[in-house]
Amino acid sequence: MRKFKFFLNFEKEANWLNQMAEEGFEFVGKSMGYHFRPAKPEKTDIKIDYRTFKNKEDFIDYCTLFEDCGWKHIAGTKSSGTQYFKKVRADADEDIFSDADSKAGRYKRLSQMYMALSMCYLPIFAALITTGAIDAAGLLSPKRLYYTPGLWNMAGADFWGAFLFETPFALFRAATWALFPVIIILFLFFSYKTEQHYKKLMK
Amino acid sequence: MKRDRHIPLTETVYYILLSLLEPAHGYLILQKVEELSGGQVRMAAGTLYGAIENLLKLKFIQPVPSEDSRRKVYLITDKGKEMLHLDLERMKHMIQVTEAAFIK
């Protein structure tokens, strides 16, 4: 079973996964949504860290350390960022973090990732504008989204025919042109939200 | 003399450095830290991982070759030893002046 959900808060995400496990859905992985497998309802203790790794050795070393401590790595890859752990030993620590700094640090890393992602799209957007592939002004004046020559000088049935014919294309243009600014703003917003969460935890 | 900006070390950093006078991997560090601190300092996996990463960046510790392919092994560097020494001197001084003050 696959479920689509989006979190900016690791605690809420972990709570949801624990709740799913209690309802008999075992979390098995995340790629294009959360994947679950029907299983015996179980009271789980899932914790989430946020880290990416330079190489496979570092990633294995990281997972092994957690497993040595009684936390089984249940989902996440070398470059996925979010790493999911499930408590599998009764004598394991209460949490995967033992101080406030490291618990907050994962929000800092998440925030930096969103910022980097946002900044990645910025030069692409700028290039599309300068090459004319995106008409920036078109986003502000809808008339420029219509490419039909002389459309705005037509009248009556001619106008409506041409107008309605061109409208789906105009909408499509608007959607593609707006995509980049929307992505950039969205990621900036996520970066801001997670940074605020980091600051709150560090207080 | 101006004090090194990493002094004083935090309690966890101090114990990690102390435990790495001999090579050890992550989980062994956790156990040594707990033992050295008389059970007072218990670090969780995520926190230790971040601390190791930070100490590697500061070059207080270094990775050393090991036979264990799943676990990286670390050892203190000369710079790390110097930090331990500086912090020891700081604490010795504190103990000395505190004891003198109490005797009065």
Side-chain angles (χ1 to χ4, degrees), chain A residues 65-66 69 71 93 95-98, chain B residues 30 43-50:
Chain A
L65 173 63
F66 277 74
C69 293
W71 292 91
D93 292 303
D95 197 350
I96 55 171
F97 300 105
S98 50
Chain B
L30 288 181
M43 288 184 84
T47 301
L48 176 76
Y49 193 85

Side-chain angles (χ1 to χ4, degrees), chain A residues 34-59:
Chain A
Y34 295 80
H35 299 260
F36 295 93
R37 182 165 55 202
K40 216 174 78 208
E42 186 191 7
K43 248 193 132 49
T44 55
D45 192 352
I46 290 170
K47 301 278 183 210
I48 306 166
D49 191 8
Y50 189 88
R51 266 183 199 287
T52 50
F53 300 87
K54 277 193 215 89
N55 53 53
K56 197 145 197 239
E57 289 73 45
D58 284 358
F59 180 56

Side-chain angles (χ1 to χ4, degrees), chain A residues 49 51 53 57-58 60-62 64-69 89 91 93 95-99 102, chain B residues 12 25-27 30 42-53 69-74:
Chain A
D49 191 8
R51 266 183 199 287
F53 300 87
E57 289 73 45
D58 284 358
I60 291 174
D61 171 62
Y62 169 79
T64 309
L65 173 63
F66 277 74
E67 262 159 50
D68 286 343
C69 293
R89 244 173 36 214
D91 68 333
D93 292 303
D95 197 350
I96 55 171
F97 300 105
S98 50
D99 65 28
S102 55
Chain B
T12 48
H25 59 68
Y27 189 55
L30 288 181
R42 279 199 60 161
M43 288 184 84
T47 301
L48 176 76
Y49 193 85
I52 289 176
E53 206 178 40
S69 64
R70 292 175 57 83
R71 294 172 185 84
K72 291 202 163 187
V73 174
Y74 306 95

